[in-house]
Amino acid sequence: WPPAPDPAPWLNRRMRAAAGLLSPERRIGLSAPDFQQAVAASQVALSRPLRVNEAPTVPSRWLNRLVCLLGGLPDQGGDAALDAMRDRGRIWLELASRIDAPQAHGVSLTRAPRPSPKPPAGTAPARISVSDVERLIRDPYALYASRVLRLAPLDPLHRTPDPALRGTVLHRVLERAGPELATLDVPMLLNLSAEPLDDLVPWPHTRALGQARMARVAEWFLAGEQVRLHAARPASFESAGALPLGTTGVTLTSKADRIDMRDDGGLNLYDYKTGAPPTPAPQATIHKQLLLVAALAEAGAYEGVPPRPVADAAYIGLGAAPKIVPAPLDEQSPAETLARVAALLAAHIAGTRGYTARRAPEQDAHGGDFDHLARLGEWDI
């Protein structure tokens, strides 16, 4: 006591008074006699948390005044009384701390090490997607938990908009727009985006934001389409493909956002992103998705698309700052990328390399679905 005042987001104090409502301080005043009676008992424990949600707290004004008053009266024995109060409280704090101390119960515990399991032969996943490859590089333990142990996080009790939903809506819109790309204008594209938003997004404000994002990039996207359509003609949208990954016994799967056929027989590949697409340097080391899609396309893994060399591949970023980022085909061929991924997966399957938790996270602050299973916190990066 006193509690923090209510921020009152709807009415300030003057508006409350004009409406005949009580002031926020009235509740504090009414609770003062209750507090005064309680604090006058023969034995009282005054306690407060030092931290809440990992953030330091501030003592209440009353407790601050009590400490300052007693600490400023040495001639009257105030500081000695304050020290005695703290000593009596320290006894209870020490007892409480023993509850979580395993040594107090005769148990000796050591911290869990960073896990790097090597499951037995025959437990490798039968199929992995091209997006799983980044997890295999960044957080092999997450791939182990989801594809070997076949675990999945529970759906939230209250669903909220997330980047995955934005990506789903964008791909649905551009898949519907595919056959009409040559004749589309901005109003037509916005009209095509309305139906997927209505079908997939149950929040009116999120639908409005989605439509506003599409309006912001529509003109830029359609201007780029004139260049892309001049270079090649669309042959496939959202096509599923699969290819055995070397001698691992694992099938690599993919869904190609868009494949265009050039007049010279080559292929142009495009992958749509709602956020910032990866730059060429990370694509050569970690973000292998587009290079792997190119490898599957050259192998004829997509239905209706003959095996042809990939002449160009690029991410089309449709986020706040739209841009096109090419894949580093000159630095690392699709076949070389496929061979490297097959060798990496083969090492995990053979047990010469463990599924190490959080091996190379993009940002240490980003949490994963399986960090608690990996006992993150007993170890760190």
Side-chain angles (χ1 to χ4, degrees):
W1 183 87
D6 184 357
W10 305 113
L11 299 175
N12 59 32
R13 284 164 172 75
R14 173 178 285 186
M15 295 170 68
R16 290 177 66 91
L21 299 175
L22 300 176
S23 70
E25 288 77 14
R26 178 176 172 82
R27 180 174 297 177
I28 295 176
L30 290 175
S31 64
D34 299 333
F35 171 79
Q36 201 63 38
Q37 291 181 22
V39 83
S42 58
Q43 288 189 355
V44 178
L46 301 176
S47 66
R48 73 178 187 90
L50 295 179
R51 301 181 72 84
V52 172
N53 295 332
E54 301 301 325
T57 61
V58 178
S60 70
R61 291 171 289 166
W62 192 90
L63 190 57
N64 262 337
R65 289 171 181 171
L66 176 66
V67 171
C68 291
L69 175 64
L70 293 179
L73 297 173
D75 296 338
Q76 291 84 358
D79 52 352
L82 184 60
D83 290 340
M85 291 165 61
R86 285 174 167 151
D87 288 340
R88 290 192 294 270
R90 194 171 292 114
I91 296 173
W92 296 102
L93 292 176
E94 291 175 353
L95 288 174
S97 66
R98 293 182 187 179
I99 296 175
D100 297 324
Q103 291 79 6
H105 305 283
V107 178
S108 178
L109 296 178
T110 58
R111 290 187 177 185
R114 180 193 296 200
S116 185
K118 297 178 180 179
T123 59
R127 301 166 71 88
I128 65 170
S129 67
V130 293
S131 58
D132 284 332
V133 172
E134 182 176 348
R135 283 205 295 176
L136 181 64
I137 298 171
R138 287 202 181 279
D139 190 0
Y141 187 86
L143 186 72
Y144 161 77
S146 62
R147 294 291 184 262
V148 178
L149 300 183
R150 299 179 184 176
L151 301 176
L154 294 174
D155 292 333
L157 294 177
H158 179 69
R159 187 184 175 198
T160 56
D162 57 17
L165 179 60
R166 289 201 299 270
T168 300
V169 172
L170 174 68
H171 286 80
R172 182 76 63 84
V173 171
L174 296 179
E175 183 182 7
R176 295 182 68 225
E180 305 176 40
L181 284 174
T183 59
L184 274 182
D185 56 18
V186 172
M188 293 171 63
L189 181 59
L190 295 180
N191 186 55
L192 286 173
S193 68
E195 184 176 339
L197 284 168
D198 290 339
D199 290 344
L200 301 174
V201 182
W203 306 277
H205 67 284
T206 306
R207 289 199 296 269
L209 287 173
Q211 193 74 330
R213 288 193 187 98
M214 181 60 69
R216 190 165 55 241
V217 301
E219 187 173 349
W220 175 88
F221 172 75
L222 292 177
E225 273 307 307
Q226 299 305 313
V227 178
R228 289 185 284 274
L229 292 173
H230 181 73
R233 65 185 185 280
S236 171
F237 294 95
E238 299 292 331
S239 293
L243 184 70
L245 198 54
T247 59
T248 62
V250 179
T251 299
L252 182 67
T253 64
S254 163
K255 181 174 281 190
D257 289 355
R258 174 177 168 184
I259 302 176
D260 287 7
M261 190 82 69
R262 299 163 61 100
D263 291 337
D264 60 9
L267 302 176
N268 288 351
L269 308 182
Y270 301 105
D271 191 275
Y272 302 117
K273 293 292 183 187
T274 55
T279 58
Q283 289 186 56
T285 55
I286 292 176
H287 293 279
K288 304 277 190 179
Q289 180 177 345
L290 194 52
L291 288 170
L292 290 172
V293 171
L296 268 68
E298 291 189 345
Y302 296 105
E303 184 177 355
V305 180
R308 301 282 177 82
V310 173
D312 187 31
Y315 287 103
I316 301 177
L318 296 171
K323 59 181 177 180
I324 297 176
V325 179
L329 295 173
D330 295 336
E331 299 177 23
Q332 189 174 130
S333 69
E336 181 185 357
T337 302
L338 195 66
R340 289 187 178 189
V341 172
L344 176 62
L345 189 59
H348 284 291
I349 294 173
T352 57
R353 186 168 190 157
Y355 290 89
T356 305
R358 293 175 71 87
R359 175 180 171 271
E362 185 171 11
Q363 294 188 24
D364 193 24
H366 287 179
D369 292 332
F370 304 101
D371 286 346
H372 59 298
L373 187 66
R375 308 287 294 186
L376 179 63
E378 296 190 34
W379 57 271
D380 57 29
I381 300 296

